[in-house]
Every structure is written in structure tokens, then in C-alpha cells.
Amino acid sequence: MDLAGLQDALGTGEPGYRAVQLYQAIYRERASDLVHISTLPARLREDLSARHRIGLPEIARQYESVDGTRRYLLRLDDGRTVETVLMPEGERDTICISSQVGCPVDCKFCMTALLGLERSLTAGEIVGQVLLVARQNGHVPGRRLNIVMMGQGEPLLNLANVVKATRILLDPAGFGLSPRRITVSTAGIIPQIAELGREPVRPKLAISLNASTEEMRQELMPITRKYHLRDLLDACRAYPLRPWEKLTFEYVLLKDVNDSDADARRVVKLLAHLNAKVNLIALNPGPEIPYQTPAPARVAGFQQILRRSFPCFVRQPRGLDIYAACGQLKKAGAGG
């Protein structure tokens, strides 16, 4: 619930500042139980706890990686499960959250695609992943934290709930994240890209590119048969970036498929005249994926060509041993 929803839950007999107190206690102070919100009168706490609860997901399984990554299989109220990943790194944490149960996009290099789509998450289920993982790991307000919506699902096919969750996560009176610290990743759902750009409060945008030609992109990402590459790039050029912001393009490198020098030169041409950066991801393998990971030297060669034109980074895999890396979230692995 946002502030207006909490005011409705309190009822007309309570002053407006009570909703503000409740909102701050849940999102900023990360209260675990309505009964323990000391800023509210005891009578109101008892009444609220009799009618409502702070509905965080339940941890069904937890997996620990040798590199410190933690993968959580979370059970929702209807019994369905979704995955969330914590990646600690020095003084900064990154939480990778899901926007849907499963995924409808069917990318051929992604294990999550094998699940298909069960349903979209509510705004509460999206925010609840962050609140739960932050609490489990003793994350206090003020510690550097990044949120990436790169778990299960296509966020822009659940845009209303993603935007509502983002408002709560970015609200200084709510969870209190900086807009620079939250990113949503899309396969390229063109109408919703324009819709997201009109939102006054929004995350940063990352586009999954993954190919240098229309034909290859349609083969690797079947949903793009509906959303063509030329139209996607037009939407990216029209997207209203904030003064500090760049568009991020993600490119999963597949051995002998999309990783040649010619591919790299085509990517440079595609992204010319865009205020962009590129994250390269060498394929994170899975037993049901028909592609292989390119050699480090090939990844470096691809990066070198792109870096002549714009910032280009190689994302290091995290949690490979527990199937927590990009494209591996499938409610399995590491004893699952």
C-alpha cells in the first residue's frame, strides 16, 4: 500500500499523520509487526494487527554461494514461489528482484524462460522482496544499496505494479533509495518504454540487446518478432533521459553465435548517437541451454571494439555455483 492506501486502511476516524507514521514505520524503519510500531497508540496497533499484517513473503529455501551471494526462494501467499538474489560487494549491496512468477519472454539462452509465466507480482510482492532481504541481512537505512529488476519476469509487462513499487522504494519518506540506485531491465517492450518515460518517478532503464541483427535477435528472443529492432532503437532515441543518466544496453555473449568482431562493429553502429553504455555478460551456462560461454579473450576482444565508442563493462557472474547468476533463476540447483 502507498500512503493513500494506508489512510484508507486506517479509516476515516484517524488523522492523516497516523498514515504517515505507519508508512514510515513499514518502509523506512522496516517494522516486522504492526503491534511493535511504537509511534502509534496501543489501541490503534491492536486494531490494525487484528485486521491486517505486514505481508512479507516467506523464505522457502536459501542458498549460499562461495562468493557471498545469497539466493532466496520466496513463497507468496498463494503458494507460488519467486526468486530474489543478494549480491554483497564491499560496502555496497545489490538486490536482484523479480517482477513476475516465471517469465513470458522465452529468451533461448535463459533458464528462467523455461518456466513460462504463472502470474505478475503485486507492488507489495515486489517491495516485499527488498524489505525481507534487507531485514535478513541487517541492512540499515543509509548503507549503499542497488536494486535491479532483473530477476524472474519482464518488468514492463507488469508496469503499473513496477511503477507503484518504484515510487515507494524511491520515496524519501518510504524506503528512501536514490533514483540512481534502481534499474529495470526489459527485453524491449516498445509501448511500455514510452509509458515509463512519462512517469515522473521512475527507475533507470536497461535494454536487453543480445544481438547485432534483427534476424539473430528474433531467433534468440522470440518476443522481438513483435517489437522490431529498428523501432526499439527509435524508442530509445526518444526516451527522456535525466541529466545524469545513460541508457544501459545488456548483451549476453554466446560462443560463435553473437560474439564476433563483426557483431561488435554492428553493435557500435546500432547504438551510434545514443547516450548509452553497454554491459557485456558472458553466458551463464545451464543444463537445458543449447549455447556455450565464449572464452575470456573473446569477451575482451568484443569489449575492446565497443569501448572505442562508448563505456563498456564486463559484468562478472555472481552465484554461479548456486544458480543465482543472470539467466539462471529457475527454482532449482544447489540442492533445490
Side-chain angles (χ1 to χ4, degrees), residues 313-330:
F313 307 93
V314 177
R315 280 235 307 262
Q316 298 303 315
R318 298 292 303 272
L320 278 172
D321 56 320
I322 58 168
Y323 285 83
C326 285
Q328 290 190 321
L329 299 184
K330 189 175 173 286

Side-chain angles (χ1 to χ4, degrees), residues 264-323:
R265 288 190 290 269
R266 283 192 291 267
V267 169
V268 169
K269 188 174 180 180
L270 286 173
L271 304 187
H273 311 301
L274 281 169
N275 184 10
K277 65 177 182 178
V278 176
N279 285 337
L280 298 177
I281 306 165
L283 175 71
N284 297 313
E288 299 162 89
I289 301 300
Y291 300 104
Q292 294 179 303
T293 307
R298 179 81 298 265
V299 175
F302 198 98
Q303 180 191 27
Q304 186 177 14
I305 292 172
L306 267 60
R307 286 179 68 178
R308 296 171 191 154
S309 301
F310 35 68
C312 179
F313 307 93
V314 177
R315 280 235 307 262
Q316 298 303 315
R318 298 292 303 272
L320 278 172
D321 56 320
I322 58 168
Y323 285 83

Side-chain angles (χ1 to χ4, degrees), residues 242-253:
R242 290 157 287 196
W244 47 266
E245 189 175 12
K246 289 181 181 292
L247 274 175
T248 298
F249 288 87
E250 298 160 317
Y251 196 101
V252 177
L253 290 161

Side-chain angles (χ1 to χ4, degrees), residues 96-168:
C96 178
I97 63 175
S98 297
S99 57
Q100 297 179 304
V101 181
C103 186
V105 176
D106 196 28
C107 296
K108 299 306 180 183
F109 49 83
C110 178
M111 289 175 62
T112 311
L114 300 172
L115 294 170
L117 177 67
E118 295 186 35
R119 68 168 174 85
S120 290
L121 298 183
T122 66
E125 289 168 335
I126 294 170
V127 175
Q129 295 172 71
V130 179
L131 292 174
L132 179 68
V133 173
R135 181 186 302 158
Q136 285 293 117
N137 293 277
H139 195 283
V140 296
R143 177 174 167 81
R144 288 185 66 192
L145 178 66
N146 292 334
I147 304 295
V148 292
M149 292 191 193
M150 299 180 183
Q152 291 182 6
E154 166 52 65
L156 295 198
L157 292 178
N158 187 21
L159 185 58
N161 286 311
V162 163
V163 167
K164 184 177 180 182
T166 299
R167 289 196 197 107
I168 292 169

